[in-house]
Every structure is written in structure tokens, then in C-alpha cells.
């Protein structure tokens, strides 16, 4: 995942997406002349759109044309499209409404390069999603229909998919929004692993050593097939299923290790520094399993109150808003309540965000009633508050939330919800300042499009975008980065957390809350 992954209102299978085009778009072919064919896109013509067209510039024989059309129909039948292309599932246009009686036809040349031909379809999907959902209906004050024409023409003479995808990225860059972008199938798979919180594999984290390129085991997930097989940090990965890994990057190797639960993979490893002996080499057969990537780390910290009593302070670090985060947070708080924890620190430092809905679900673990969690603003400027419905907090114990410049997106939504509703004090440094919400849609080729679909304000109507949230209390510049994950594996050991200056400031603020009395 990227260091600042976008937040998302929906993480959708395109098959479940509603069609946002009415009547349906159609994709078909028409004959421009006896020897010239063109790819034709038809969609409803609204008054703000201009008719654009390019003349056919390539000759295709009937066989090529039929195959391209057949590919379209076969793909549509499998339901592989997002919003724009899902609307293409019908090959007739219904124009019952007078407002939609006109139609707009755009004819484009079909690339003779198969790779580029595929990306042309991705271009139309991308363009359609932007057209229907992008937060700025002026598309950064440009003619978005004309932008499709220009990009398609620029793409036509290309010969590689990479070059064609660069044209899509270039088209998106003209929107002036860095969070609206397309990512490759490989990048999208990594995003899904981070968002789902689960993968099927062997539980090894590997990295390519910069100087030699050797693939080194960074760590094994506790309880994973790799850990059970005795694979250790520092082991070098030599082969996977008998295939040498010389020159293989870490992501490619990771893909080879992943696979369906129950299947096996054989890895050859080298341990130690003695390459002249066979004793350092060994082969291990691993059975793939479900690997859980937990976004929650926790510890109970003994806390000495000003009157000399020792109480239990619950520390919970949330590293990402993956699909399992709210459920794991709820379980964690229940466990701590059962151990008589009296106050809490929720650490959102360096949490780049994730799924918006999960952030709202986490907020409801701490809040009661029908409070506003966040205010969204759509592309037409309409503001819609998102409120809880009969919320019941798991605990009403005092709460401090830690934030810093790495806290972004869903982290800022959560921090704002807890702070503006009087539930928590914020400690740390000013947050990143990302007040936009993205939707994520998988496209037909396995790539994914991130589109900014809304802006948001905190419950108290504070604008966060490019501004951030300033905490109530600053902590010192020492040890501002979040504690290393390894320090939290042993929940009984909290000395490293107690040395964190921000946590010390948080403990002081909890004492202040306690002295004032906290409503229950």
C-alpha cells in the first residue's frame, strides 16, 4: 500500500454497482466507408455537452471488426465492467424521456495493437466514471467530452499498454486532483490486501536487499505456515517451486508465494553466511493458509495517578482502516473493559486512512446517541450530515487520541468526530489535511480507478482539506513517530510505550480529565 492510501466510501465489486447512466450507453460499430470502420460510443446528450467526433483513420478488415465486437460482448456477459461500462450491457437506447431524446455519438479509430485496444476500453470506462461521479462537475473548467476525444486520438498510434496507460494518467492529471488516479492490477491487488486485511499465502514479509538484489526474509507472521516451518528473519529466499529467483523483485516473488488455501509451495532458503557449505541450504514445503493482517495493536499500561494509586490504561494503536478494523477494535475494547481498564489512548499517528465506513464504525464504538460523525458535500454543493442512530458506546472512560502529520483521511474523520462531539482530547501534531473522499472501482482489466466523489467537514463544520486538525495539546518533538509494531507483540510489556513523550502527555491529560470528573 502507498504511504497515503485514499479513503473510500465503497470498495465495490463492479457487478454490484448501480448504473448511473440513464438511458443505457451503447457500444457498437458503424461503417464510415466501405474500407473504414470505427468504434462508436453513444450516450445521452445533455445540454451542457458538445458533440465531438473524430474521423476514422485506420482500415480494419471485417474479421478484425467482428472479433473486437465479439470481445466486447463476451466481456459484458461476464459482468466485468464498472459504472460506465456496466451501463453498456444493453445494446439499445431507450429515449422515452424528452429531456434525454437526443443522443451523442463519438466515433474513434480502433487500435490495431491488441494491448492498446484493451486500454482503449479502460479509457472509456475511466472517462465515464469521472463524467458521472467526479466532485467537480466542471472537470477543472475543461470540456471533458473533448478530453476523451483528444486522449483516444493520442492513444491510437501507440504500441504498448504502458504507454497507453500513461495517456489515461495524463488525462486524469488535468482534473487537478492528485487523489483521482488509476492504478495497475498489481498495485490494486496490494491495495485490496491492505484493505481486506487478509491474504492467502504463507505469511512471509520479504524485501530485496538494495546492494545485491537478494530476497531477504524480513519477518514471518506469528502462527503462519512460514513461522511454523521455522523460517526466520534474515533467511535468503533462493528458489520458489524450483525456479531460481535471480533478478526477481520482491513483489513478483510475493505473488509466487500467494495462492489458494490448501495448495502448497516449495521454497529453498539459505541461512547464515557460509555459502561454501550445503549445510546453510534447505528446502521447505509450505501449505498455504489464510493470513490475517491485523490493523490493531494493544497494550495495558500501568498508570500511577496523582493521588498515588495505580490504575490500568488501555493503549490501542489503529494502523489502517481495513475491513476488519472496527470489529477488531470492538473486541479489543471489550477485552480491556473486562480487565478493569480505567482510561484509554487511541493512537492514530501515521495512520494514512482507508475505508471511510470503517472509520465511522470505529467512531460509534466510543460515542452515544445520534451525534453527527461527519458532514459530506457532493458535487452540487449539497451538504449531508452523517449521524449515528441510537448509538451505544462500549465505554465512557476518558479518552485521548494521538495524531500527527501522518494521520490522514479516515484518521482525520475519526479524530474530528471524537473531538467535536466532546468525547476525546487530541494530543500530538497537526494532521495531514485530506478532506476528500474517494470511491474505488475495479475496471475490466483488473486495474482500479480512484475518484474523488465528495468533500467533508468535521461535525463542527471545520474544513480539513489542506488545513488538517490542530490538536488540543502539542507533545514534544521527541519520539513523535509511532512505536514499532514489535514493541506491542508482548502485551504485558509496556515500558517502551511509557517512554513515548506523546503518551506521557496523554497520561497527564487523562489525569486532568479524571480530576474534573467525566460524565457517564
Amino acid at each position: 500500500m502507498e504511504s497515503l492510501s485514499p479513503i473510500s466510501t465503497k470498495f465495490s465489486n463492479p457487478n454490484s454497482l448501480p448504473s448511473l447512466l440513464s438511458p443505457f450507453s451503447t457500444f457498437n460499430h458503424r461503417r464510415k466507408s466501405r474500407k473504414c470502420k470505427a468504434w462508436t460510443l453513444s450516450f445521452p446528450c445533455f445540454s451542457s455537452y458538445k458533440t465531438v467526433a473524430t474521423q476514422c483513420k485506420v482500415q480494419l478488415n471485417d474479421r478484425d471488426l467482428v472479433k473486437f465486437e465479439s470481445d466486447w460482448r463476451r466481456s459484458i456477459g461476464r459482468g466485468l465492467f464498472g459504472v460506465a461500462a456496466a451501463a453498456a450491457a444493453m445494446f439499445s437506447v431507450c429515449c422515452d424521456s424528452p429531456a434525454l431524446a437526443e443522443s451523442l455519438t463519438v466515433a474513434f479509430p480502433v487500435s490495431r495493437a491488441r494491448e492498446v485496444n484493451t486500454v482503449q476500453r479502460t479509457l472509456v470506462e475511466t472517462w465515464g466514471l469521472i463524467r458521472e461521479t467526479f466532485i467537480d462537475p466542471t472537470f477543472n473548467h475543461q470540456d471533458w467530452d473533448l478530453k476523451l476525444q483528444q486522449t483516444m486520438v493520442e492513444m491510437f498510434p501507440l504500441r504498448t499498454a504502458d504507454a497507453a496507460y500513461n495517456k489515461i494518467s495524463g488525462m486524469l492529471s488535468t482534473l487537478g486532483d492528485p487523489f483521482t488516479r488509476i492504478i495497475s492490477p498489481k498495485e490494486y491487488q496490494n491495495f485490496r490486501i491492505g484493505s481486506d486485511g487478509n491474504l492467502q499465502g504463507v505469511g512471509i514479509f520479504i524485501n530485496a536487499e538494495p546492494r545485491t538484489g537478494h530476497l531477504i526474509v524480513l519477518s514471518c507472521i506469528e502462527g503462519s505456515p512460514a513461522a511454523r516451518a521455522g523460517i526466520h528473519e534474515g533467511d535468503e529466499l533462493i528458489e520458489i517451486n524450483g525456479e531460481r529467483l535471480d533478478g526477481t523483485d520482491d513483489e513478483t516473488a510475493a505473488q509466487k508465494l500467494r495462492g489458494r488455501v490448501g495448495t502448497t509451495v516449495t521454497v529453498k532458503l539459505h541461512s547464515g553466511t557460509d555459502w561454501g557449505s550445503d549445510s546453510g541450504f534447505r528446502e521447505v514445503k509450505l501449505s498455504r493458509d489464510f493470513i490475517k493482517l491485523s490493523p490493531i495493536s494493544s497494550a495495558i499500561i500501568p498508570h500511577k495517578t496523582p493521588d498515588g494509586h495505580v490504575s490500568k490504561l488501555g493503549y490501542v494503536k489503529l494502523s489502517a482502516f481495513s475491513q476488519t478494523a472496527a470489529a477488531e477494535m470492538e473486541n479489543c475494547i471489550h477485552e480491556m473493559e473486562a480487565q478493569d481498564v480505567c482510561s484509554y489512548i487511541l493512537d492514530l499517528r501515521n495512520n494514512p486512512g482507508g475505508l471511510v465506513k470503517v472509520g465511522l464504525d470505529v467512531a460509534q464504538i466510543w460515542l452515544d446517541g445520534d451525534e453527527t460523525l461527519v458532514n459530506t458535500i457532493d458535487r452540487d454543493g449539497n451538504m449531508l450530515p452523517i449521524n449515528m442512530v441510537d448509538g451505544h458506546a462500549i465505554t465512557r472512560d476518558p479518552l485521548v487520541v494521538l495524531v500527527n502529520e501522518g494521520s490522514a483521511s479516515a484518521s482525520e474523520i475519526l479524530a474530528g468526530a471524537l473531538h467535536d462531539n466532546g468525547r476525546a482530547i487530541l494530543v500530538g501534531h497537526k494532521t495531514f489535511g485530506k478532506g476528500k473522499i474517494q470511491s474505488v472501482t475495479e475496471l475490466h482489466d483488473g486495474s482500479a480507478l480512484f475518484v474523488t466523489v465528495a468533500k467533508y467537514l468535521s461535525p463542527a463544520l471545520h474544513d480539513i482539506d489542506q488545513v488538517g486538525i490542530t490538536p488540543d495539546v502539542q507533545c514534544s518533538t521527541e519520539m513523535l513517530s509511532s512505536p514499532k509494531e514489535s514493541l506491542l507483540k508482548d502485551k504485558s510489556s509496556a515500558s517502551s510505550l511509557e517512554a513515548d513523550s506523546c503518551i506521557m502527555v496523554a497520561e497527564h491529560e487523562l489525569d486532568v480529565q479524571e480530576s474534573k470528573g467525566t460524565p457517564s
Side-chain angles (χ1 to χ4, degrees), residues 19 161-162 221 296 302 339 377 431 450 511:
S19 170
D162 287 344
I221 296 174
I296 299 288
Q339 297 181 61
I377 302 175
T431 62
F450 292 70
D511 287 337

Side-chain angles (χ1 to χ4, degrees), residues 267-466:
V267 298
K268 185 175 183 179
L269 303 130
H270 179 265
S271 303
T273 58
D274 185 7
W275 284 87
S277 170
D278 291 337
S279 61
F281 291 89
R282 63 190 179 108
E283 281 193 352
V284 180
K285 188 175 183 179
L286 303 171
S287 180
R288 296 183 177 100
D289 202 348
F290 287 111
I291 307 299
K292 185 177 182 181
L293 305 175
S294 176
I296 299 288
S297 302
S298 63
I300 293 179
I301 302 174
H303 173 63
K304 191 172 184 178
T305 61
D307 60 7
H309 289 88
V310 176
S311 63
K312 294 180 179 179
L313 189 159
Y315 171 87
V316 183
K317 177 170 176 57
L318 179 59
S319 59
F321 291 87
S322 65
Q323 290 185 351
T324 63
E328 292 190 43
M329 173 75 73
E330 186 172 349
N331 292 336
C332 179
I333 301 306
H334 277 303
E335 290 178 6
M336 289 189 169
E337 285 292 292
Q339 297 181 61
D340 297 322
V341 165
C342 298
S343 55
Y344 290 87
I345 295 174
L346 174 59
D347 193 346
L348 299 179
R349 289 176 296 175
N350 299 320
N351 181 330
L355 307 179
V356 169
K357 182 182 182 303
V358 174
L360 300 179
D361 289 343
V362 171
Q364 295 184 74
I365 293 173
W366 302 94
L367 290 168
D368 284 312
D370 58 356
E371 284 93 342
T372 296
L373 300 176
V374 70
N375 296 287
T376 63
I377 302 175
D378 66 17
R379 66 189 288 172
D380 298 318
N382 302 313
M383 187 168 73
L384 175 68
I386 299 177
N387 298 329
M388 293 195 307
V389 179
D390 192 24
H392 294 281
I394 295 175
T395 177
R396 298 173 180 84
D397 292 332
L399 173 66
V400 168
V401 176
L402 301 181
V403 294
N404 68 358
E405 60 278 1
S407 306
S409 302
S411 291
E412 292 171 294
I413 289 180
L414 175 57
L418 298 177
H419 178 267
D420 288 3
N421 285 297
R423 180 64 181 89
I425 290 176
L426 303 185
V427 169
H429 273 198
K430 188 167 71 172
T431 62
F432 180 80
K434 182 174 182 289
K436 295 177 180 176
I437 299 174
Q438 279 74 46
S439 67
V440 184
T441 302
E442 182 176 355
L443 305 179
H444 79 278
D445 60 351
S447 61
L449 181 67
F450 292 70
V451 183
T452 296
V453 296
K455 298 178 181 178
Y456 68 82
L457 304 178
S458 76
L461 302 182
H462 295 141
D463 191 354
I464 296 171
D465 195 45
Q466 301 184 45

Side-chain angles (χ1 to χ4, degrees), residues 153-353:
V153 171
E154 291 172 1
M155 189 179 290
F156 171 70
L158 302 177
R159 290 293 175 263
T160 67
D162 287 344
Y165 275 110
N166 286 338
K167 290 298 181 183
I168 297 179
S169 295
M171 179 181 75
L172 296 176
S173 69
T174 66
L175 295 169
D177 175 33
F179 302 109
T180 294
R181 69 197 196 283
I182 191 170
I183 63 173
S184 69
K186 181 188 296 184
E187 292 173 312
Y188 181 53
Q189 185 176 43
N190 289 337
F191 173 82
R192 292 200 60 162
I193 290 171
S195 296
D196 292 346
N198 291 281
L199 62 85
Q200 297 180 50
V202 298
I204 299 178
F205 287 103
I206 55 177
N207 189 44
E209 204 280 328
R211 184 176 57 85
T212 64
H214 294 169
L215 297 176
I216 306 299
V217 175
L218 293 179
S219 64
C220 295
I221 296 174
E222 185 177 355
S224 68
R228 293 195 300 266
I231 296 175
H232 300 291
E233 175 185 350
D235 288 351
E236 181 179 345
L237 200 56
I238 307 297
E239 295 178 0
I240 298 177
N241 286 334
E243 181 182 347
R244 294 281 300 183
L245 298 176
D246 299 332
T248 303
D249 61 72
D250 49 6
E251 177 56 35
T252 301
Q255 295 280 1
K256 294 178 183 294
L257 292 171
R258 297 171 191 152
R260 293 195 322 275
V261 169
T263 59
T264 60
V265 58
T266 301
V267 298
K268 185 175 183 179
L269 303 130
H270 179 265
S271 303
T273 58
D274 185 7
W275 284 87
S277 170
D278 291 337
S279 61
F281 291 89
R282 63 190 179 108
E283 281 193 352
V284 180
K285 188 175 183 179
L286 303 171
S287 180
R288 296 183 177 100
D289 202 348
F290 287 111
I291 307 299
K292 185 177 182 181
L293 305 175
S294 176
I296 299 288
S297 302
S298 63
I300 293 179
I301 302 174
H303 173 63
K304 191 172 184 178
T305 61
D307 60 7
H309 289 88
V310 176
S311 63
K312 294 180 179 179
L313 189 159
Y315 171 87
V316 183
K317 177 170 176 57
L318 179 59
S319 59
F321 291 87
S322 65
Q323 290 185 351
T324 63
E328 292 190 43
M329 173 75 73
E330 186 172 349
N331 292 336
C332 179
I333 301 306
H334 277 303
E335 290 178 6
M336 289 189 169
E337 285 292 292
Q339 297 181 61
D340 297 322
V341 165
C342 298
S343 55
Y344 290 87
I345 295 174
L346 174 59
D347 193 346
L348 299 179
R349 289 176 296 175
N350 299 320
N351 181 330

Side-chain angles (χ1 to χ4, degrees), residues 79-145:
L80 296 179
F81 291 84
V83 175
M90 294 186 66
F91 284 80
S92 62
V93 177
C94 304
C95 293
D96 297 330
S97 169
L100 299 175
E102 298 180 60
S103 66
L104 174 64
T105 298
V106 187
F108 296 112
V110 178
S111 173
R112 301 183 68 174
R114 184 183 299 273
E115 291 184 12
V116 177
N117 188 295
T118 299
V119 183
Q120 283 183 308
R121 294 164 55 187
T122 304
L123 169 62
V124 175
E125 275 190 281
T126 299
W127 169 83
L129 283 163
I130 297 296
R131 180 176 180 267
E132 295 303 318
T133 64
F134 185 59
I135 182 65
D136 177 9
T138 73
F139 309 106
N140 199 22
H141 305 287
Q142 63 181 327
D143 187 330
W144 192 240
D145 296 337

Side-chain angles (χ1 to χ4, degrees), residues 476-504:
S476 72
T477 57
E478 298 174 354
M479 299 183 67
L480 282 179
S481 60
S482 57
K484 293 183 179 179
E485 195 75 17
S486 60
L487 298 176
L488 301 178
K489 290 180 179 178
D490 182 0
K491 295 186 180 183
S492 65
S493 175
S495 59
S496 58
L497 298 179
E498 294 178 87
D500 186 321
S501 60
C502 289
I503 290 180
M504 288 191 284

